[in-house]
Amino acid sequence: MERPAIIHKLASEQRTPPHWTDFEAERRVDVWGLARRALQGLPGGGLNMGFEAVDRHAGGVLRDRIALRFVARNTPALDLSYGQLAQQTNRFANVLQDLGVNKGDRLFVLAGRMPELYVAVLGALKNGTVVTPLFSAFGPEPIATRIRLGAGQVLVTTDALYRRKVKQIREQMSSLRHVLLVAEDGGITNEPGTLDWHTLMALAPDTFSTVATQPDDPALLHFTSGTTGTPKGALHVHGAVVTHFATGRYALDLHPDDRYWCTADPGWVTGTSYGIIAPLLQGVTSLIDREEFDAERWYTLLEQEQISVWYTAPTAIRMLMKAGTELARRHSYPALRFVASVGEPLNPEAVWWGQEALGLPIHDNWWQTETGGIMIANTPAFDIKPGSMGRPLPGIEAFIVEHLEAEGEPPRVRIIDTPNVEGELALRSGWPSMFRGYLNNEARYRQCFAGDLYLTGDLARVDADGYYWFVGRADDVIKSAGHLIGPFEVESVLMEHPAVAEAGVIGKPDAMVGEVVKAFVSLKDGYQPSEGLRMDISAHARKRLGAAVAPKEIAFLPSLPRTRSGKIMRRLLKARELGLPEGDTSTLEGGA
Ligand code: AMP
């Protein structure tokens, strides 16, 4: 069906007046200054993310408002008010103090979406301890790599995850001083070499003075993947809370009486910035569903929990579309007024589907681990062009640039002034949630900047109306179900298998999850390709990497294409897989 290229929006037609409507006027405002002044700051000066998210409300009129509402199958919902969350996070900050864990120390959380994860993250922030949430579907290898790289001193996890994924690799993480276990059955754990969360929490006082962090003190460490080498630890500071606050209004249009649901897992950056921090900053009630995706369940939750603002992702939307519009229409969503999506390209069809199934279009927005918060968005304030990521938010300046040299150091770029020309998406540095470094990798950090422009690694174009359109990644990282996967991490684990001589990993386009991880392997002498061997390599990868990261497909090749300098040419593997032109193969070892 032919669809119009624009969905027009009138502020006057919206039930709740949006926080902003005039794009040009708002861009002239000092948004960061305004956001900073709306926050409270610490009593003796300083700024702390956990304090602003929780204690600012717990000490005011929102004290008894439900902050977090946890739902799961076969168990009653569990509500935590802002006041209760303040007490719980105080207890945890006291636990950390008692253990000698202080400001600047590093804590990792490996857990499903359970209350203790949220308490641990926010309590650690109040203690000035730097937090890294890990995805609970990671296998032992990604967990150990990240804790080692981050020199984590404390790990909070569950007894079951500890036994399945951590115990056997514990000695590889020599920095770990304390492991705190939450018993999944609600009881007490007595695993040797660990501490029991509930026992420690019960003994800890529920008052705490937030540690005096400054805006530039580190708060969160989020791991993200690059094309080569180990994952990169992007360091974020407490001052990022200013962006979280502003974007919670500008991009998600949160108002204090909203009931909000972010479907992202806190093991990924969206689930932390917009699943924990941003909604709490606005004093809303956040729904947290502890179950996995289920179309019928999700519609029921949207209806019964009277969700008014919903932030989800393209893979989930495509799965809902697959389940059929009819299923969506069996429910009604009178409370729902704003739906947004992030993480991968959202095709125009999905934007329109929202209109048909939920009665609202879906607002795509763009950001990445390094930016710490939403940068480009479709918002309630202006018309949507389905298929576009929207326009830069107030306070953000975006550009399309071209590189003047292929691999210059430092990079040199030129801003492309002509609309609709593809190039790399760049942002003028200086927004409060910009990452402040890759842990122990200053050189890699410097490569991200050309003067004061931060280079995102994404290819895009901007049209004459200032709307940005995603084109693709400039590198080989893989986006599967919204999760960024580094091919190198997967290749390294495949190479550990005794039969594998070389491995090259690509993202193969997939209608549902965007891309699936596909591996090409060549075998060592003495091994022959067989279905049995393929299954064995696959099982090895799943065991070490976890189901979320392991390849879904493995193909055997006699040898892999390499450059003359010895790098596997993933680009060529991908072109061959997709039957696309092979492009420039002049660097191919042995010629094309
Ligand atoms: P991550 O750092 O894991 O959040 O992944 C960030 C990357 O996801 C970006 O650099 C983009 O490649 C991709 N991404 C995020 N949002 C969008 C979007 N709205 N459209 C297309 N790609 C997106």
Side-chain angles (χ1 to χ4, degrees):
M1 193 203 310
E2 192 59 34
R3 312 264 204 189
I6 292 194
I7 300 179
H8 289 291
K9 300 218 278 179
L10 279 178
S12 56
E13 283 172 0
Q14 301 190 31
R15 210 172 349 127
T16 305
H19 281 295
W20 63 311
T21 49
D22 188 333
F23 182 75
E24 293 306 333
E26 208 67 18
R27 292 186 60 78
R28 291 192 291 274
V29 169
D30 168 21
V31 290
W32 307 130
L34 277 179
R36 175 64 190 87
R37 285 191 289 282
L39 297 170
Q40 191 174 326
L42 290 175
L47 188 63
N48 182 283
M49 210 179 255
F51 178 90
E52 296 299 334
V54 181
D55 297 63
R56 187 164 56 94
H57 303 306
V61 290
L62 296 185
R63 182 179 174 80
D64 296 322
R65 152 96 33 97
I66 297 171
L68 304 175
R69 176 172 175 79
F70 295 87
V71 291
R73 275 200 181 92
N74 308 324
T75 23
L78 178 105
D79 291 333
L80 279 180
S81 68
Y82 279 91
Q84 290 166 326
L85 193 57
Q87 285 177 332
Q88 294 282 330
T89 51
N90 285 346
R91 282 186 195 276
F92 186 62
N94 282 315
V95 166
L96 291 177
Q97 288 278 313
D98 267 7
L99 294 173
V101 179
N102 294 311
K103 184 175 168 185
D105 290 343
R106 301 210 188 101
L107 176 139
F108 284 67
V109 189
L110 173 73
R113 292 179 293 276
M114 61 185 197
E116 291 83 355
L117 180 160
Y118 294 74
V119 170
V121 169
L122 293 161
L125 288 170
K126 282 163 64 170
N127 191 45
T129 303
V130 183
V131 193
T132 305
L134 290 171
F135 190 35
S136 57
F138 277 159
E141 180 61 33
I143 295 169
T145 303
R146 285 159 180 76
I147 295 181
R148 257 201 321 267
L149 287 170
Q153 285 126 320
V154 189
L155 172 66
V156 176
T157 185
T158 70
D159 52 350
L161 286 170
Y162 180 76
R163 281 194 282 269
R164 276 212 331 268
K165 305 188 176 194
V166 181
K167 204 172 172 175
Q168 73 268 36
I169 48 157
R170 172 111 186 232
E171 71 284 2
Q172 294 176 25
M173 299 175 290
S174 54
S175 59
L176 264 190
R177 286 196 275 137
H178 307 287
V179 176
L180 277 61
L181 297 189
V182 180
E184 289 198 359
D185 65 2
I188 305 283
T189 60
N190 54 5
E191 189 69 48
T194 69
L195 299 163
D196 179 64
W197 165 281
H198 290 296
T199 307
L200 294 176
M201 287 289 279
L203 294 172
D206 65 7
T207 54
F208 183 78
S209 287
T210 300
V211 167
T213 48
Q214 298 303 318
D216 280 335
D217 283 335
L220 292 159
L221 175 67
H222 283 296
F223 283 90
T224 183
S225 296
T227 307
T228 55
T230 50
K232 301 173 285 184
L235 261 177
H236 289 282
V237 294
H238 280 275
V241 71
V242 173
T243 303
H244 296 147
F245 182 87
T247 53
R249 291 193 173 186
Y250 282 121
L252 299 178
D253 200 42
L254 291 171
H255 290 67
D257 52 0
D258 273 322
R259 294 173 66 87
Y260 166 79
W261 182 16
C262 169
T263 61
D265 190 278
W268 301 91
V269 72
T270 301
T272 311
S273 296
Y274 295 96
I276 306 181
I277 310 293
L280 294 177
L281 290 172
Q282 302 297 334
V284 308
T285 295
S286 261
L287 179 78
I288 294 142
D289 182 22
R290 300 188 56 180
E291 308 294 343
E292 292 314 315
F293 174 86
D294 173 333
E296 168 60 30
R297 176 178 173 80
W298 279 31
Y299 291 130
T300 306
L301 285 177
L302 281 175
E303 179 173 26
Q304 288 183 356
E305 296 293 333
Q306 296 168 34
I307 299 302
S308 52
V309 177
W310 194 35
Y311 196 21
T312 187
T315 293
I317 294 166
R318 287 191 291 265
M319 293 199 291
L320 290 174
M321 289 169 77
K322 187 169 170 228
T325 310
E326 168 54 23
L327 185 63
R329 291 217 185 111
R330 270 187 229 152
H331 299 261
S332 64
Y333 317 96
L336 197 62
R337 67 178 171 78
F338 188 71
V339 183
S341 158
V342 72
E344 324 153 51
L346 186 72
N347 33 331
E349 219 26 58
V351 178
W352 286 108
W353 172 84
Q355 190 94 51
E356 280 153 25
L358 307 169
L360 295 165
I362 298 172
H363 298 74
D364 186 19
N365 61 47
W366 177 95
W367 62 291
Q368 57 181 191
T369 303
E370 287 84 346
T371 70
I374 303 170
M375 301 280 107
I376 295 178
N378 287 286
T379 81
F382 48 82
D383 298 342
I384 300 178
K385 292 195 186 184
S388 154
M389 313 189 284
R391 295 197 276 183
L393 289 177
I396 301 300
E397 279 183 88
F399 306 90
I400 300 296
V401 302
E402 72 173 332
H403 285 253
L404 295 176
E405 295 143 47
E407 283 183 16
E409 171 71 49
R412 291 200 311 124
V413 300
R414 184 183 76 83
I415 294 173
I416 302 175
D417 291 324
T418 329
N420 293 316
V421 177
E422 277 177 32
E424 183 166 354
L425 177 63
L427 304 169
R428 172 110 54 220
S429 335
W431 69 94
S433 65
M434 194 179 87
F435 73 132
R436 300 305 157 89
Y438 288 126
L439 195 68
N440 305 327
N441 199 344
E442 180 55 31
R444 185 68 193 81
Y445 185 65
R446 275 200 309 272
Q447 276 169 24
C448 295
F449 295 90
D452 69 348
L453 291 183
Y454 163 66
L455 307 172
T456 66
D458 277 2
L459 303 176
R461 62 185 171 83
V462 56
D463 69 18
D465 299 324
Y467 283 73
Y468 282 75
W469 300 76
F470 182 78
V471 173
R473 286 286 306 186
D475 58 18
D476 290 338
V477 292
I478 299 161
K479 254 284 156 123
S480 189
H483 304 145
L484 202 68
I485 296 173
F488 182 79
E489 202 170 11
V490 181
E491 288 160 3
S492 307
V493 162
L494 290 169
M495 301 276 290
E496 288 171 6
H497 189 279
V500 174
E502 340 167 82
V505 166
I506 63 161
K508 178 177 164 186
D510 179 87
M512 194 54 69
V513 296
E515 290 183 311
V516 290
V517 178
K518 171 151 191 175
F520 296 88
V521 295
S522 68
L523 298 177
K524 288 186 185 151
D525 286 349
Y527 289 92
Q528 293 303 320
S530 71
E531 196 46 37
L533 185 54
R534 191 201 315 276
M535 279 162 59
D536 196 61
I537 298 172
S538 173
H540 159 80
R542 286 175 73 90
K543 186 160 164 259
R544 302 277 288 134
L545 293 164
V549 182
K552 296 277 177 296
E553 291 180 30
I554 298 178
F556 295 110
L557 287 179
S559 67
L560 300 189
R562 285 180 182 273
T563 60
R564 293 201 181 97
S565 58
K567 278 195 218 153
I568 303 244
M569 291 182 82
R570 301 189 189 106
R571 183 178 55 75
L572 199 58
L573 285 171
K574 192 161 179 168
R576 287 177 182 169
E577 170 71 22
L578 304 180
L580 295 173
E582 296 194 354
D584 179 9
T585 51
S586 56
T587 58
L588 184 66
E589 190 186 41

